Amino acid sequence: MPPKGFANFDPIFGEAKSELHEEPASSSSFRPILFQAYAIDSSRLRILASDFFSLSWDRLLTVSDLEDLRDDIGIGGSWSDFVDYLKSALSTGEVKIVLRDSDAKLVAFKSKGLPRITFPLEKLEDPAVSDANATFSVSLFQAYKTKQKDCLKEQERSSQLMGLLSSEREKNEILQKQIDSLSFLSKRKVSKPKMHDTSASTSIQLPTDTVNNSDQAIPSQAQIVEPITGEKQVEATKNSQPPKVTKRLAPVSRRARVRGVSLKSTAEDDEDN
């Protein structure tokens, strides 16, 4: 169990609404009152309130004082839970200063319906007023410097992240261009027709007997494409004409042959005579 104290209690600054005791707040004509709650050390907490003109109050609280206040209010839970509620009530809740003659008290609560924390305040007189205002001003400036350093760190971190984001965007743009170029090339390759693919896709399945007689039934591509000119045209014309029917000569009779022989022999006989 962590020890009770204010080791991690960061300074809290805020503006408190001022009102007179038993009178509405609108009737008060006080200057704006600022308050500060900060840890002097791990066992003491101080609350300052001032209008930085004529009114200043403070209250010094110990761990035992806050334990008694916790019992009076009736807030349960651990010590750290009570300190967290006190921080929330002072920083994000509603805080007001109720004035009665020379007395004042600070009232804080996180929201309506939740317990109210009330601290009686003691009015300060010179020179304590000057010391309290000086302490308040220095603490406020230190808190401002701390916030400024944190803001600068966040700005540097944001700038680094923006630089990394810009670099990643450039890389993504380069990769996108490469992807687009590859996609364009692949589309061009797919769109180009291939001869063997076209012939294969447009081929017609023929019956087996037709394929076997393809030389006679289907003319070759060379015969279809080759133009007919010159001698080939003449030959094609001749071939296209019907064949002439030649008359067959009658055989020479054997008697005619014999008659010839007889004529020769007759001539020889005449010479002998």
Side-chain angles (χ1 to χ4, degrees):
M1 183 176 179
K4 297 178 181 180
F6 309 102
N8 298 321
F9 197 99
D10 295 328
I12 299 173
F13 299 90
E15 181 180 359
K17 296 179 180 179
S18 58
E19 64 180 43
L20 294 175
H21 181 66
E22 296 180 354
E23 291 186 13
S26 59
S27 64
S28 63
S29 58
F30 296 100
R31 295 174 182 271
I33 298 176
L34 303 181
F35 71 91
Q36 176 193 11
Y38 67 97
I40 299 175
D41 50 38
S42 61
S43 60
R44 293 183 299 171
L45 183 70
R46 187 183 185 187
I47 297 176
L48 283 174
S50 177
D51 64 353
F52 292 90
F53 183 70
S54 61
L55 298 175
S56 295
W57 304 269
D58 81 332
R59 176 68 188 271
L60 189 63
L61 299 167
T62 62
V63 173
S64 60
D65 293 335
L66 288 178
E67 284 282 11
D68 295 339
L69 179 62
R70 177 186 174 190
D71 294 337
D72 293 339
I73 297 173
I75 297 177
S78 62
W79 168 259
S80 60
D81 294 337
F82 173 70
V83 173
D84 291 339
Y85 179 79
L86 176 62
K87 290 179 181 179
S88 299
L90 292 173
S91 59
T92 61
E94 183 176 349
V95 181
K96 60 183 179 179
I97 301 290
V98 181
L99 303 174
R100 183 177 182 179
D101 297 332
S102 60
D103 298 330
K105 62 180 179 180
L106 183 145
V107 180
F109 56 93
K110 189 173 182 180
S111 60
K112 292 182 178 181
L114 294 179
R116 291 171 176 255
I117 300 176
T118 303
F119 300 110
L121 301 176
E122 296 177 0
K123 188 176 181 180
L124 298 176
E125 301 293 341
D126 287 329
V129 173
S130 299
D131 293 339
N133 290 340
T135 301
F136 195 112
S137 300
V138 172
S139 299
L140 185 61
F141 177 74
Q142 290 176 348
Y144 164 75
K145 294 295 291 184
T146 301
K147 293 294 184 181
Q148 187 182 36
K149 289 180 181 179
D150 294 340
C151 183
L152 290 175
K153 289 181 181 179
E154 290 297 326
Q155 287 179 353
E156 291 177 359
R157 184 181 178 185
S158 177
S159 298
Q160 292 176 356
L161 292 176
M162 290 299 294
L164 292 175
L165 180 61
S166 178
S167 177
E168 290 298 326
R169 284 178 178 174
E170 291 179 358
K171 291 180 181 179
N172 289 338
E173 289 177 358
I174 293 173
L175 290 175
Q176 188 63 41
K177 289 180 180 179
Q178 293 177 353
I179 292 173
D180 293 341
S181 61
L182 291 175
S183 177
F184 177 73
L185 291 175
S186 63
K187 287 181 180 178
R188 286 190 62 185
K189 288 181 180 179
V190 170
S191 61
K192 280 186 176 181
K194 295 182 179 180
M195 296 302 295
H196 62 277
D197 292 342
T198 306
S199 60
S201 61
T202 55
S203 61
I204 301 174
Q205 297 292 333
L206 298 175
T208 306
D209 54 351
T210 308
V211 173
N212 294 332
N213 298 328
S214 60
D215 294 340
Q216 298 176 1
I218 302 175
S220 64
Q221 186 176 1
Q223 292 174 349
I224 297 173
V225 175
E226 184 179 0
I228 301 173
T229 57
E231 296 179 355
K232 292 183 179 181
Q233 186 174 4
V234 175
E235 292 178 359
T237 304
K238 290 181 179 181
N239 293 331
S240 63
Q241 294 177 357
K244 295 181 179 181
V245 180
T246 55
K247 294 182 179 181
R248 192 172 180 180
L249 299 177
V252 179
S253 63
R254 295 182 181 275
R255 189 170 183 174
R257 291 180 183 177
V258 174
R259 185 182 295 173
V261 175
S262 298
L263 290 173
K264 185 177 179 182
S265 60
T266 305
E268 289 178 357
D269 293 337
D270 291 336
E271 288 177 0
D272 292 333
N273 294 325

